[in-house]
Amino acid sequence: MHNRFFKPNPASRRLIGRRTRNLCAAGLSLIAGATAWAAEPPNAEAGRALFLKSTTPACAVCHTLADAGAAGTIGPNLDELKPDANRVTQAVRNGIGIMPAFEALSDAEVQALAQYVSGATGAAQ
């Protein structure tokens, strides 16, 4: 930035440095936000809909899951249990305890539901 028309003084150098740091921080924040957004499974809304109302009985009737606003008390609290997608798939397909098997759901629906629950609880994938 040195030329014969512009010779930055120490104050302007500090200002340029601050602006550069602020722009870099803002860019990193955008990247982090985009990464978090991209991390949500593409069928999360389908999984949420299945959890809330598209199954019979609806998962939300029996289970607690904060992301879905569900506060069921018959089945385990999924926020505490944090089941991974495989565990959810097995429970949905085969039933467990008093939970029935949901045989009418397609493989894609079971996958969407399992990914939603495991993602919403922060379970290890």
Side-chain angles (χ1 to χ4, degrees):
M1 295 196 102
H2 289 280
N3 64 35
R4 60 188 178 143
F5 299 110
F6 178 73
K7 293 185 181 177
N9 62 34
S12 65
R13 284 187 184 153
R14 282 192 301 274
L15 181 61
I16 291 169
R18 257 185 260 136
R19 286 182 180 166
T20 303
R21 280 192 303 275
N22 291 344
L23 285 172
C24 288
L28 289 174
S29 295
L30 286 173
I31 290 169
T35 302
W37 175 77
E40 183 172 295
N43 54 359
E45 284 303 316
R48 183 179 287 116
L50 284 161
F51 187 88
L52 289 171
K53 57 186 172 206
S54 298
T55 58
T56 304
C59 306
V61 170
C62 297
H63 294 284
T64 294
L65 183 62
D67 185 79
T73 58
I74 297 168
N77 179 329
L78 298 174
D79 292 313
E80 292 174 1
L81 187 61
K82 297 186 185 314
D84 63 22
N86 187 49
R87 188 170 180 185
V88 175
T89 299
Q90 293 301 316
V92 170
R93 278 287 175 226
N94 304 319
I96 187 169
I98 63 170
M99 179 177 155
F102 290 84
E103 297 168 350
L105 294 178
S106 70
D107 289 340
E109 289 172 321
V110 172
Q111 182 181 14
L113 181 59
Q115 288 177 348
Y116 168 67
V117 170
S118 63
T121 62
Q125 299 298 318

